[in-house]
Amino acid sequence: MTSPVIPPDQQPLQQLAHQAGYASLAALAQAAGVSDWQLARLERGLLPQIPVGVMMQLAIALRVPLDQLVRQLGASATLPPLPTEATPTASCRRQLDRLEKEYQRLQAQLATHTARLNAQFQEDVLNTLEPWLLQWPTAAAVAQQNPAFPAQKLLPLTRPITALLTQWQIETIAAVGAVVPFDPHWHEFMGEGVTPTEATPVVVRYVGYRRGETLLY
């Protein structure tokens, strides 16, 4: 029985993917936003033929510096023919310099884009909560100064918070006071004695939250 021949750069590429937490090269390709074909070319030692943008995306996905990635994957790369006046070392150095500059440019662009997204996210949240931010402090002050102030008048002021949770697809598991079948996946028993069995009717005392099938609280 014979063993398959492993291309020269396949082992270090798989090792980098494993260290970064990817179960396979296909998972790495998906996370980096590159094609399996580009990874196959890297496995065959064709690093000089890989676009700079692809190498940058892989470096970010693998969480390693670009120059380190180039050194590890280029140790046994198949280099194209060089002009007689150039040396392999000089050619590799020029290519590495180009990769470094492009990597730094894209990193700066990514940082700017991330900051812009964060600012936009905060602005959107503040726009949704604006009615509550403006009215709640006054209403709370009136309620504290007048114990007879009806609490029902405060309820409409919470609508912006409800709207924000709806935008984020966060929903309550059940309403306070509701009688529901006990489900240990969604409910935490707070009474005395033995935890009820599944499907036993229980009364909701505090609200929990979930997003889809993910339990939040």
Side-chain angles (χ1 to χ4, degrees):
M1 177 178 290
T2 60
S3 299
V5 177
I6 299 177
D9 279 7
Q10 186 174 9
Q11 186 173 354
L13 184 59
Q14 288 185 338
Q15 183 178 7
L16 286 169
H18 178 72
Q19 291 173 348
Y22 299 105
S24 65
L25 292 182
L28 170 61
Q30 182 177 5
V34 304
S35 67
D36 294 336
W37 178 69
Q38 294 287 14
L39 293 189
R41 300 180 76 196
L42 278 175
E43 292 175 8
R44 287 162 175 77
L46 300 178
L47 173 64
Q49 300 180 24
I50 304 299
V52 172
V54 170
M55 295 303 299
M56 186 282 300
Q57 290 171 250
L58 284 174
I60 293 176
L62 291 169
R63 298 184 292 277
V64 298
L66 182 58
D67 57 345
Q68 176 183 335
L69 179 62
V70 171
R71 281 196 301 268
Q72 288 187 245
L73 298 184
S76 55
T78 302
L79 297 175
L82 298 171
T84 55
E85 65 274 10
T87 64
T89 301
S91 176
C92 290
R93 184 68 254 177
R94 286 196 300 271
Q95 181 183 14
L96 182 57
D97 288 342
R98 288 196 300 270
L99 290 172
E100 283 279 13
K101 291 178 181 179
E102 181 67 9
Y103 176 74
Q104 292 172 5
R105 183 188 71 81
L106 291 173
Q107 280 285 78
Q109 181 178 338
L110 178 62
T112 301
H113 183 63
T114 301
R116 189 178 300 129
L117 287 177
N118 286 336
Q120 182 63 49
F121 171 75
Q122 294 175 11
E123 182 178 350
D124 291 342
V125 171
L126 289 175
N127 286 338
T128 302
L129 294 180
E130 180 178 356
W132 179 82
L133 291 171
L134 297 177
Q135 299 178 34
W136 180 259
T138 300
V142 171
Q144 290 175 345
Q145 295 169 7
N146 182 9
F149 184 80
Q152 290 183 346
K153 291 186 177 181
L154 298 177
L155 295 179
L157 300 182
T158 64
R159 289 173 183 167
I161 299 177
T162 302
L164 183 63
L165 295 179
T166 300
Q167 291 178 15
W168 290 350
Q169 298 180 336
I170 296 175
E171 59 181 349
T172 56
I173 297 174
V176 174
V179 178
V180 298
F182 182 72
D183 184 345
H185 180 69
W186 298 112
H187 305 141
E188 179 181 2
F189 182 62
M190 302 180 65
E192 299 179 355
V194 180
T195 300
T197 58
E198 188 170 355
T200 300
V202 292
V203 179
V204 176
R205 293 176 57 188
Y206 295 95
V207 170
Y209 295 88
R210 66 183 179 186
R211 180 188 285 116
E213 295 302 313
T214 301
L215 178 65
L216 299 179
Y217 304 103

